[in-house]
Amino acid sequence: MALLSSLTPLFVAALCVVLVFLFKSSQKKENEAVKPEWKPTAESRPWVDEDLQDDTEIRHKDEEDGDWVESGGEEELAHVPYPASRYPVEVMVQRSQDFYSLMNQRRSVRFLSPEPVPRQVIDNVIRTAGTAPSGAHTEPWTFVVVSDPEVKHQIRLVVEEEEEVNYRHRMGDKWVSDLQRLRTNWVKQYLDVAPYLVLIFKQTYGVVAGGQKKTHYYNEISVSISCGLLLAALQNAGLVTVTTTPLNCGPQLRLLLGRPANEKLLMLLPVGYPAPDATVPDLTRKPLDDIMVHL
Amino acid sequence: MALLSSLTPLFVAALCVVLVFLFKSSQKKENEAVKPEWKPTAESRPWVDEDLQDDTEIRHKDEEDGDWVESGGEEELAHVPYPASRYPVEVMVQRSQDFYSLMNQRRSVRFLSPEPVPRQVIDNVIRTAGTAPSGAHTEPWTFVVVSDPEVKHQIRLVVEEEEEVNYRHRMGDKWVSDLQRLRTNWVKQYLDVAPYLVLIFKQTYGVVAGGQKKTHYYNEISVSISCGLLLAALQNAGLVTVTTTPLNCGPQLRLLLGRPANEKLLMLLPVGYPAPDATVPDLTRKPLDDIMVHL
């Protein structure tokens, strides 16, 4: 009885420990069950289209419907007649055929000639890229065109340093071996050789008068569409490029080029004439039946 | 002493409860501190470029470097000479100017004519879109071209139903009022009127022989670039469209059109001639100096 009496506090203590532990553990499990729904960056907006699974998309829904309204700002815009120009049917068919033939000759070319390219052509292809539609007509793109040899070389150093680390330490053996077959490695000579480097930044938000931030809906899709127009304009002018997305270099290149924090590097395109001995992989494109479904 | 003796178990129990509670709380705090780093969808890949903050980007890094290598598959591809065609400088400058002028006439047009459009032209503009570069040459796009009036109407019903809910219940007053100024509402007559609707799906992954999934790196950027080429091809042929991203309709439209689960709706483009009385908002584009920086 004396033993029992002296054990009671210990027994009660142990029981309490077990009970509280169980209670707290069940709380923790509830938290864990909620975790997969937890999104650190997006507010609760139950109506967003989860199907797209893109944060750019999700942010967009806040203040716009699905159309990319081309609005200049807050005030109501006048609506003016659209000046249509129509081609006769046979001309239209021929034009569509010719444009396809021209674009189908485009290839990603990594071997560029150092020959100078008229600046006027560069201006025109960037102007063309700037005609792309964009979410709420925000035009969320900045094209940094680099021809200064020293800046080009600095860019090369940043890209190659990161790429070498990628190859040597970050990528698996299979990855590196896959890339060897494609004759790709971390040496990017074209970054010095090309007369122009075009670094395409997406503006993730805008800054209006007073310093307030303005959402740039669908900025990544908009800038990518604009890049499509840029590629078309380059091909139309007889210039070549390769669409690259340098790995891990965005922040360094942004600082190097003095771009503000709302701009993120999306793509880097070396631009010039092809080298006389340029080669490309002998690949084909999917036929129309593989990419188009008609209903 | 008898009182003290009888209180002891209670005291010890209370002390234990407090101690365990504090211990578990400190554990919970550690978990919370870790939470912001927690990513439900991406494996641990410390080398990925966090600057882009895009899941598509992150997934991409797994097996490719920053270049969009255009590889046909596992085998090594032969490399062949690139057949360059070069224009004299003055021709090049003129071509770049003419292409800019043509693209600069493009506008998002919501008032389409029901007149039929030659199917050959549609085939050619889709072929042109299919010449876009893509991450690892995966060509991750499906263009569903709808001319069947009943299917077009079903699409309209899905889009308008969702849009009306968006306007009436999901969007705030400011949003709706903003859109009224832009004369946009949930009625999308062009979905019935346009001779063609082009629904652009991004293939988020591919399925190879044996049923294994194959990552489609940068699928959203690739398909958006391809959309840029499509817009250029339409403009070149004298056709109009409006780039729309119907809100919340992706899954329903995917099922309606019988597309597989790896395809996600990215954009919907009504395509046709402009209506004779078509109007567009009287907006301007940023001048070159606002979108280009030269170093």
Side-chain angles (χ1 to χ4, degrees), chain A residues 100 104 284-295, chain B residues 119 121-134 137-146 197-203 216 222-223 226-227 229-230 233 257 259-260 263-264 267:
Chain A
Y100 165 61
N104 197 31
T284 56
R285 294 190 168 115
K286 291 179 182 172
L288 186 62
D289 285 350
D290 283 4
I291 66 170
M292 186 173 106
V293 176
H294 182 235
L295 299 175
Chain B
R119 170 67 192 274
V121 173
I122 299 298
D123 287 357
N124 281 334
V125 297
I126 301 294
R127 279 192 187 99
T128 306
T131 68
S134 56
H137 196 52
T138 44
E139 304 172 274
W141 37 67
T142 304
F143 300 91
V144 180
V145 173
V146 180
L197 303 181
V198 179
L199 293 98
I200 308 178
F201 288 83
K202 57 176 185 179
Q203 300 167 355
H216 277 177
S222 305
V223 179
S226 146
C227 177
L229 292 176
L230 179 59
L257 302 172
R259 302 312 305 160
E263 297 188 3
K264 308 279 184 192
M267 279 173 269

Side-chain angles (χ1 to χ4, degrees), chain A residues 180-191:
Chain A
Q180 275 170 350
R181 283 205 296 270
L182 296 161
R183 305 189 193 170
T184 300
N185 61 26
W186 65 80
V187 180
K188 311 283 181 193
Q189 205 172 15
Y190 55 70
L191 295 176

Side-chain angles (χ1 to χ4, degrees), chain B residues 32-46:
Chain B
E32 277 168 355
V34 169
K35 265 186 188 173
E37 307 296 331
W38 182 75
K39 291 193 179 132
T41 52
E43 301 96 287
S44 172
R45 279 167 297 192

Side-chain angles (χ1 to χ4, degrees), chain A residues 47 52 54 61 63-64 70 74 78 95 106 143 145 175 181 220 236 248 265 282-283 291 293, chain B residues 47 52 54 61 63-64 70 74 78 95 131 143 145 175 181 220 236 248 265 282-283 291 293:
Chain A
W47 63 87
L52 283 172
D54 179 310
K61 316 302 185 193
E63 294 193 19
E64 210 208 346
E70 298 191 308
E74 291 299 304
R95 285 181 68 91
R106 190 201 58 76
F143 300 90
V145 174
W175 190 2
R181 283 205 296 270
E220 184 162 298
N236 174 72
N248 271 333
L265 183 66
D282 189 18
L283 56 82
I291 66 170
V293 176
Chain B
W47 63 87
L52 283 173
D54 180 310
K61 317 303 184 192
E63 294 193 20
E64 207 208 349
E70 297 191 309
E74 291 298 304
R95 286 181 67 91
T131 68
F143 300 91
V145 173
W175 189 1
R181 283 206 294 271
E220 184 162 298
N236 174 72
N248 271 333
L265 183 67
D282 189 19
L283 55 81
I291 65 170
V293 176

Side-chain angles (χ1 to χ4, degrees), chain A residues 9 12-13 16 31 35 38 47-49 51-52 54 61-71 74 76 78-80 82 84 86 92 95-97 99-100 106 110 115 119 123-124 127-128 131 133 137 139 142-148 163 170 175 181-184 188 190 202 218 220 224-225 228-229 236-237 239 243-245 247-248 251 257 264-265 273-274 278-286 291-295, chain B residues 9 12-13 28 31 35 38 47-49 51-52 54 61-71 74 76 78-80 82 84 86 92 95-97 99-100 106 110 115 119 123-124 127-128 131 133 137 139 142-148 163 170 175 181-184 188 190 202 218 220-221 224-225 228-229 236-237 239 243-245 247-248 251 257 264-265 273-274 278-286 291-295:
Chain A
V12 173
C16 287
N31 287 342
K35 265 186 187 174
W38 181 75
W47 63 87
V48 300
D49 188 345
D51 195 42
L52 283 172
D54 179 310
K61 316 302 185 193
D62 236 7
E63 294 193 19
E64 210 208 346
D65 83 333
D67 288 15
W68 285 17
V69 287
E70 298 191 308
S71 152
E74 291 299 304
E76 178 166 8
H79 283 233
V80 295
Y82 173 73
R86 183 183 292 207
M92 189 186 192
R95 285 181 68 91
S96 70
Q97 180 62 48
F99 191 67
Y100 165 61
R106 190 201 58 76
R110 287 171 181 74
E115 294 165 88
R119 171 68 192 275
D123 288 357
N124 281 334
R127 279 192 187 98
T128 306
T131 68
H137 196 52
E139 303 172 275
T142 303
F143 300 90
V144 180
V145 174
V146 181
S147 58
D148 182 281
E163 282 290 89
R170 294 169 179 154
W175 190 2
R181 283 205 296 270
L182 296 161
R183 305 189 193 170
T184 300
K188 311 283 181 193
Y190 55 70
K202 56 176 184 178
Y218 287 116
E220 184 162 298
S224 300
I225 290 175
L229 292 176
N236 174 72
L239 296 174
T243 313
T244 78
T245 46
L247 182 52
N248 271 333
L257 302 172
K264 309 279 183 192
L265 183 66
Y273 297 103
T279 59
V280 291
D282 189 18
L283 56 82
T284 56
R285 294 190 168 115
K286 291 179 182 172
I291 66 170
M292 186 173 106
V293 176
H294 182 235
L295 299 175
Chain B
V12 172
K28 197 183 158 207
N31 287 341
K35 265 186 188 173
W38 182 75
W47 63 87
V48 300
D49 187 345
D51 194 44
L52 283 173
D54 180 310
K61 317 303 184 192
D62 235 7
E63 294 193 20
E64 207 208 349
D65 83 333
D67 288 13
W68 286 18
V69 286
E70 297 191 309
S71 152
E74 291 298 304
E76 177 165 9
H79 282 234
V80 295
Y82 173 73
R86 182 184 292 210
M92 189 187 193
R95 286 181 67 91
S96 70
Q97 180 62 47
F99 191 67
Y100 165 61
R106 190 201 58 76
R110 286 170 182 75
E115 294 165 88
R119 170 67 192 274
D123 287 357
N124 281 334
R127 279 192 187 99
T128 306
T131 68
H137 196 52
E139 304 172 274
T142 304
F143 300 91
V144 180
V145 173
V146 180
S147 58
D148 183 282
E163 282 290 88
R170 293 170 178 153
W175 189 1
R181 283 206 294 271
L182 296 162
R183 304 188 194 173
T184 300
K188 311 284 180 193
Y190 55 68
K202 57 176 185 179
Y218 287 117
E220 184 162 298
I221 295 177
S224 300
I225 290 175
L229 292 176
N236 174 72
L239 296 173
T243 314
T244 78
T245 46
L247 182 52
N248 271 333
L257 302 172
K264 308 279 184 192
L265 183 67
Y273 297 103
T279 59
V280 291
D282 189 19
L283 55 81
T284 57
R285 294 190 168 116
K286 291 180 182 172
I291 65 170
M292 186 173 107
V293 176
H294 182 235
L295 299 175

Side-chain angles (χ1 to χ4, degrees), chain A residues 66-283:
Chain A
D67 288 15
W68 285 17
V69 287
E70 298 191 308
S71 152
E74 291 299 304
E75 73 288 354
E76 178 166 8
L77 287 162
H79 283 233
V80 295
Y82 173 73
S85 60
R86 183 183 292 207
Y87 306 106
V89 167
E90 62 277 17
V91 174
M92 189 186 192
V93 171
Q94 189 60 52
R95 285 181 68 91
S96 70
Q97 180 62 48
D98 292 346
F99 191 67
Y100 165 61
S101 299
L102 178 64
M103 290 300 123
N104 197 31
Q105 290 162 32
R106 190 201 58 76
R107 293 297 308 273
S108 292
V109 177
R110 287 171 181 74
F111 305 97
L112 281 86
S113 161
E115 294 165 88
V117 165
R119 171 68 192 275
Q120 217 181 328
V121 173
I122 299 297
D123 288 357
N124 281 334
V125 297
I126 301 294
R127 279 192 187 98
T128 306
T131 68
S134 55
H137 196 52
T138 45
E139 303 172 275
W141 36 67
T142 303
F143 300 90
V144 180
V145 174
V146 181
S147 58
D148 182 281
E150 183 51 37
V151 181
K152 284 195 297 178
H153 192 64
Q154 291 296 322
I155 292 170
R156 179 176 178 178
L157 292 181
V158 169
V159 172
E160 288 190 347
E161 187 184 24
E162 285 296 326
E163 282 290 89
E164 185 170 357
V165 177
N166 295 334
Y167 274 77
R168 288 196 191 279
H169 302 293
R170 294 169 179 154
M171 299 165 11
D173 286 346
K174 182 178 179 305
W175 190 2
V176 173
S177 125
D178 280 354
L179 288 169
Q180 275 170 350
R181 283 205 296 270
L182 296 161
R183 305 189 193 170
T184 300
N185 61 26
W186 65 80
V187 180
K188 311 283 181 193
Q189 205 172 15
Y190 55 70
L191 295 176
D192 271 327
V193 171
Y196 289 101
L197 303 181
V198 179
L199 293 97
I200 307 178
F201 288 83
K202 56 176 184 178
Q203 300 167 354
T204 55
Y205 58 87
V207 182
V208 295
Q212 283 185 308
K213 290 180 184 182
K214 176 187 159 203
T215 311
H216 277 177
Y217 308 115
Y218 287 116
N219 64 78
E220 184 162 298
I221 295 177
S222 305
V223 179
S224 300
I225 290 175
S226 146
C227 178
L229 292 176
L230 179 59
L231 293 178
L234 289 169
Q235 176 67 12
N236 174 72
L239 296 174
V240 297
T241 189
V242 51
T243 313
T244 78
T245 46
L247 182 52
N248 271 333
C249 305
Q252 284 182 81
L253 293 180
R254 181 175 73 74
L255 292 173
L256 175 67
L257 302 172
R259 301 312 306 160
N262 65 330
E263 297 188 1
K264 309 279 183 192
L265 183 66
L266 190 64
M267 279 173 269
L268 191 168
L269 277 62
V271 169
Y273 297 103
D277 57 352
T279 59
V280 291
D282 189 18
L283 56 82

Side-chain angles (χ1 to χ4, degrees), chain B residues 87-106:
Chain B
Y87 307 106
V89 166
E90 63 277 17
V91 174
M92 189 187 193
V93 171
Q94 190 59 52
R95 286 181 67 91
S96 70
Q97 180 62 47
D98 292 346
F99 191 67
Y100 165 61
S101 298
L102 178 63
M103 290 301 123
N104 198 31
Q105 288 162 34
R106 190 201 58 76

